[in-house]
Amino acid sequence: GELEGDTILESEYVLLLYFLGRSGEPRARKAAEYLRRKQLEGGGWAIYPGGPPEVSASVKAYFALKLLGDDPDAPHMARARRAILDLGGIEAANSFTKIYLAIFGQVPWERCPAVPPEMILLPRWFLFNIYQMSSWSRGIVVPLSIVWAHRPYCPVPARASIPELYRDGAHVAPVNAPSTLKGRLWRTFFAFADSCMKEAEKLPVKPWRGRAIRAAEQWMLARLDKSDGLGAIFPPIVNAVLAFRCLGYPPDHPVVAGQLRALEKLEIEDGDTLRLQPCFSATWDTALAVTALAESGLPADQPALLRAARWLLDHEVREPGDWRIHAKRAEPGGWYFEYANEFYPDCDDTAQVLIALSKVRFPDPLEEQRRRAAIERGVRWLLAMQNRDGGWASFDRGCDTEAFTYIPFADHNAMIDPSCEDITGRVLEALHVLGLGTSAAAKRAARFLLRKQLPDGTWYGRWGCNYIYGTWLALWGLTREVLDPADGRIERAAAWLRAHQNLDGGFGESLRTYDEPGAKGIGPSTAAQTAWAALGLMAAGRGSAESLRRAVSYLVASQRPDGSWHDEPWTATGFPRVFYLRYHLYATYFPLLALAQYANEVP
């Protein structure tokens, strides 16, 4: 299914095309038209439908449109300019936005945070090395460090410059201003380190620079094999193109051309517009669809399920990747999110694929043996990725050094990859399905979840919106074999769900809960979130029977004639407070799963 992101994708694509001398192509014109159609009435651009204007997204969109010739006095540009200035102007934009603008001469490089390539040379035992960053930040930052070191300049005509977006140095608080003393101390330390690195940049001799740039180049090249672009996600791919061009690779070099083809695969042309997906979600969608179909009554050897299972088996990871740094003894296994991303399997996908594969059976003995072997490898890999606190993160083990969140270029709010309540709940379900629900690993995971339960009974949702998602997965995992539904902690979570059911029987929650926790559980009903809540209520037992019946009635009544459901609100999370997502298939396989579970489990 389509994976939809915000307009930062189209804006950065236009900037990249301009950098490459390709801004005259139809794809740039169509991306610009998409930006115009996504502009809010107030003039800015939001990072999710119904959200407020966001300064970085708005600055990039305005600059992209101006680069392609939009008249700054046109009504839509005048409205955008006013909105951006009201939000704090360029000064309030995040670090990555400023670095992009610096490439085009719109922000002095001195105002951008230092991203020195020498950090790739730091030994792995050192507290601050690149493998203490989240995998997605690593993929963004390594190529970006090459860009920062070269400081490329792509001139733009005077008519396209954006000095009008400055507020004359008006002070704007940092995006992630720390609220604790420890945070303020780390922020002060990194600010001092940043200033020192910028002073060192003025020295005529940089003894480690050449070696660092070569190491960063080799790091990127090593991760392009069996991958749809660096990290198989939009930001690292774009930064890789910029970095390779800085290193002198011509546009038609196979490495650069390969990254550009990966970006082109993400394009969705729709009439006069063009939008981009941040990546593909093929493995994720397939595993969840198989699970929902199997639960809905298809036999374990049904041909469609077997075809999907073969596809999943073909995409098993069989080579070590970055995860090996912190799980040295683990053997390759697991699954990644996209069509091709061999270096980066993740725990969430792996758990869901294991659940899906457990529900199929191949008539052919050799295929059945292959299925079982893949499950065994996946389980071993997953267990090796459990963190010391008992939980599971996304891509790495032990990637939770909080100090990294205060680095000046860390204002994208995604520098580390700590244990997540939602992923841990899903892994706990997978362990139950595979007969490991009472294992030591499962008991440690349960203790982690119980420690993370909030006073009102909910759990935070890191990868889905938000407390409904986290609470469903925690309840589903805990009640498989660890806790009885009558346990007070389970009932507390169920009571919260019941209290936040809408009058129409559905459930909904807005992405603004990541900024305003007081809004948790409040929002228009969506099919996906109603399904999550229904699954959570089922896990909580009979005390929620009436609320569950109303949720199921909402799903039945809102189903479309073709059998699907449709959700306009976005319900998924990339980076909380920074980047959100809409999975177009969420509104179909989750309701199907909830209705199937209801039919199977409720008398």
Side-chain angles (χ1 to χ4, degrees):
E2 180 180 345
L3 181 57
E4 187 176 353
D6 65 57
T7 58
I8 287 176
L9 302 168
E10 291 74 35
S11 298
E12 291 186 359
Y13 198 40
V14 168
L15 298 182
L16 178 66
L17 291 172
Y18 191 95
F19 179 86
L20 296 172
R22 297 171 51 185
S23 60
E25 295 181 3
R27 54 171 44 95
R29 174 178 54 79
K30 291 189 173 188
E33 178 58 24
Y34 184 79
L35 289 174
R36 295 185 196 102
R37 295 186 187 185
K38 287 295 181 178
Q39 186 178 17
L40 302 176
E41 287 189 13
W45 282 262
I47 58 175
Y48 61 91
E54 198 275 332
V55 64
S56 295
S58 300
V59 168
K60 286 180 181 176
Y62 180 93
F63 183 45
L65 291 176
K66 202 173 180 188
L67 268 180
L68 294 185
D70 281 27
D71 185 345
D73 294 326
H76 71 289
M77 295 293 279
R79 287 188 293 116
R81 188 163 55 251
R82 288 193 297 270
I84 290 167
L85 292 173
D86 287 344
L87 292 168
I90 286 176
E91 298 94 327
N94 62 31
S95 299
F96 292 163
T97 299
K98 290 175 181 174
I99 290 175
Y100 269 86
L101 294 177
I103 294 171
F104 297 93
Q106 304 305 302
V107 169
W109 280 100
E110 292 71 23
R111 293 195 186 181
C112 300
V115 191
E118 286 81 1
M119 63 186 169
I120 201 169
L121 302 177
L122 294 173
R124 293 172 187 172
W125 53 261
F126 191 67
L127 178 62
F128 300 109
N129 70 80
I130 63 167
Y131 295 104
Q132 294 296 335
M133 299 180 192
S134 62
S135 66
W136 51 85
S137 290
R138 203 179 308 137
I140 291 170
V141 168
V142 171
L144 195 64
S145 71
I146 295 175
V147 176
W148 184 83
H150 282 82
R151 302 193 177 195
Y153 172 56
C154 179
V156 301
R159 62 158 183 80
S161 292
I162 51 172
E164 66 270 23
L165 298 188
Y166 280 95
R167 287 186 57 185
D168 299 321
H171 176 71
V172 178
V175 174
N176 59 340
S179 58
T180 64
L181 175 60
K182 182 171 72 171
R184 289 191 292 272
L185 289 173
W186 276 120
R187 175 59 59 79
T188 301
F189 167 78
F190 283 121
F192 175 73
D194 183 76
S195 63
C196 290
M197 285 184 281
K198 289 176 179 176
E199 287 299 315
E201 201 64 18
K202 300 174 184 177
L203 298 175
V205 178
K206 304 175 184 66
W208 302 103
R209 178 57 51 87
R211 180 184 170 192
I213 288 177
R214 287 191 298 273
E217 178 186 8
Q218 291 304 311
W219 188 93
M220 290 192 296
L221 290 171
R223 285 156 181 77
L224 299 184
D225 189 35
K226 297 185 180 180
S227 177
D228 285 334
L230 185 63
I233 53 176
F234 180 90
I237 299 172
V238 169
N239 287 352
V241 172
L242 295 171
F244 285 128
R245 291 294 291 125
C246 287
L247 292 170
Y249 287 64
D252 59 352
H253 189 284
V255 166
V256 179
Q259 298 304 289
L260 293 174
R261 283 195 300 272
L263 288 174
E264 290 168 5
K265 289 180 183 178
L266 297 173
E267 296 177 353
I268 297 177
E269 194 171 354
D270 186 6
D272 294 333
T273 69
L274 181 144
R275 62 188 183 274
L276 289 102
Q277 299 183 81
C279 63
F280 294 113
S281 54
T283 299
W284 185 239
D285 288 334
T286 302
L288 284 162
V290 167
T291 303
L293 288 168
E295 290 296 325
S296 66
L298 295 186
D301 60 352
Q302 201 273 349
L305 295 187
L306 296 184
R307 286 175 55 216
R310 289 188 192 100
W311 189 91
L312 289 171
L313 292 171
D314 288 343
H315 289 76
E316 181 193 3
V317 170
R318 300 298 296 124
E319 296 181 14
D322 283 3
W323 52 269
R324 197 72 169 283
I325 301 297
H326 296 296
K328 294 181 175 60
R329 297 180 181 178
E331 292 301 317
W335 282 264
Y336 42 78
F337 183 74
E338 304 87 352
Y339 284 106
N341 193 11
E342 185 77 10
F343 251 82
Y344 297 105
D346 69 271
C347 298
D348 216 6
D349 276 279
T350 297
Q352 191 60 52
V353 170
L354 291 173
I355 293 169
L357 290 178
S358 73
K359 298 182 183 301
V360 301
R361 296 292 184 275
F362 287 100
D364 180 84
L366 291 178
E367 285 194 300
E368 180 62 11
Q369 183 181 1
R370 183 189 179 201
R371 182 189 71 88
R372 292 175 181 273
I375 288 175
E376 289 177 6
R377 286 190 295 269
V379 169
R380 286 198 298 268
W381 183 82
L382 201 54
L383 292 175
M385 295 297 288
Q386 187 173 26
N387 283 323
R388 291 181 179 179
D389 61 11
W392 275 268
S394 307
F395 293 90
D396 287 300
R397 183 176 181 272
C399 186
D400 56 1
T401 303
E402 185 184 353
F404 264 86
T405 63
Y406 302 110
I407 293 175
F409 60 76
D411 52 7
H412 63 303
N413 199 32
M415 278 295 286
I416 57 175
D417 186 11
S419 296
C420 301
E421 294 92 316
D422 43 16
I423 295 177
T424 303
R426 181 172 278 109
V427 173
L428 202 51
E429 180 195 359
L431 294 178
H432 160 72
V433 167
L434 298 168
L436 297 169
T438 59
S439 64
K443 291 176 181 177
R444 290 175 58 215
R447 289 194 293 270
F448 167 82
L449 285 175
L450 293 174
R451 288 196 305 272
K452 288 291 185 177
Q453 188 177 24
L454 298 172
D456 63 0
T458 60
W459 282 269
Y460 179 78
R462 165 63 180 83
W463 294 98
C465 181
N466 174 344
Y467 297 94
I468 293 176
Y469 184 77
T471 300
W472 154 50
L473 285 167
L475 283 174
W476 201 253
L478 285 170
T479 57
R480 297 300 87 186
E481 291 186 79
V482 180
L483 291 182
D484 188 280
D487 187 285
R489 292 163 290 189
I490 300 300
E491 172 53 30
R492 191 154 30 107
W496 182 86
L497 286 173
R498 293 193 298 268
H500 288 83
Q501 189 167 24
N502 291 330
L503 292 176
D504 61 8
F507 290 79
E509 188 171 24
S510 168
L511 290 164
R512 71 189 180 99
T513 56
Y514 289 100
D515 294 292
E516 303 172 32
K520 63 192 297 187
I522 299 172
S525 296
T526 69
Q529 289 168 318
T530 301
W532 300 340
L535 289 163
L537 291 170
M538 276 183 257
R542 299 192 179 193
S544 301
E546 175 57 22
S547 183
L548 176 58
R549 185 196 61 77
R550 291 177 57 219
V552 168
S553 295
Y554 171 85
L555 291 175
V556 170
S558 60
Q559 187 180 29
R560 301 196 296 186
D562 67 356
S564 69
W565 287 261
H566 177 75
D567 283 342
E568 200 58 37
W570 292 15
T571 58
T573 311
F575 308 138
R577 305 181 65 196
V578 174
F579 188 69
Y580 299 108
L581 299 163
R582 177 189 175 201
Y583 292 79
H584 284 215
L585 284 181
Y586 268 22
T588 297
Y589 49 60
F590 282 123
L592 176 59
L593 178 62
L595 292 177
Q597 291 286 356
Y598 184 76
N600 294 337
E601 296 193 10
V602 177

